[in-house]
Amino acid sequence: MSKKLDALMKTLEGRDKVAVIHDNGPGGVNTVALIDMKKSLTTTDKLELAFRLTNSIDDAWYNSKEVIKMFEGAGCRSTMVGDMVLIGTEKFKCEPNGWSKI
């Protein structure tokens, strides 16, 4: 597709910016990533996609073109239990099995 058509399609389908927030215990919390997602995805799909995109498997997650890096420095750990994802005004915490709304 052309760049103009790609931009138009993004506008028409509706997008959400989803923030991934790491909890560093006594060091506080910080937003480490923003991810542009289709509005039409379910909340569960957005949470799972945010988790998958901020975990390093074959390469460091912050090297992905699908993620906007929001941290300073050379690297950042993967998302894990206790970390959070903000979708609009709703925040969710990563649990050992799934997500809880906080």
Side-chain angles (χ1 to χ4, degrees):
M1 280 191 215
S2 73
K3 287 183 182 182
K4 287 182 181 178
L5 184 56
D6 287 342
L8 178 61
M9 292 304 291
K10 277 187 178 183
T11 301
L12 290 175
E13 68 186 10
R15 307 296 285 182
D16 274 334
K17 285 276 192 245
V18 175
V20 178
I21 305 160
H22 283 182
D23 185 346
N24 299 308
V29 298
N30 62 306
T31 301
V32 297
L34 287 178
I35 306 167
D36 187 47
M37 296 188 192
K38 291 180 182 178
K39 250 184 204 216
S40 61
L41 292 173
T42 67
T43 298
T44 300
D45 288 342
K46 289 176 187 175
L47 292 167
E48 295 302 318
L49 182 57
F51 184 84
R52 182 176 60 79
L53 289 176
T54 56
N55 270 267
S56 299
I57 300 179
D58 295 325
D59 190 14
W61 66 261
Y62 42 84
N63 291 331
S64 171
K65 292 180 180 177
E66 295 179 75
V67 175
I68 300 168
K69 173 184 159 184
M70 298 297 293
F71 63 89
E72 303 268 333
C76 182
R77 67 171 173 78
S78 293
T79 299
M80 62 184 200
V81 170
D83 292 336
M84 295 158 280
V85 172
L86 180 66
I87 304 171
T89 59
E90 296 183 311
K91 192 182 288 183
F92 299 86
K93 182 177 177 183
C94 184
E95 301 289 354
N97 186 19
W99 299 87
S100 63
K101 189 173 177 181
I102 55 175

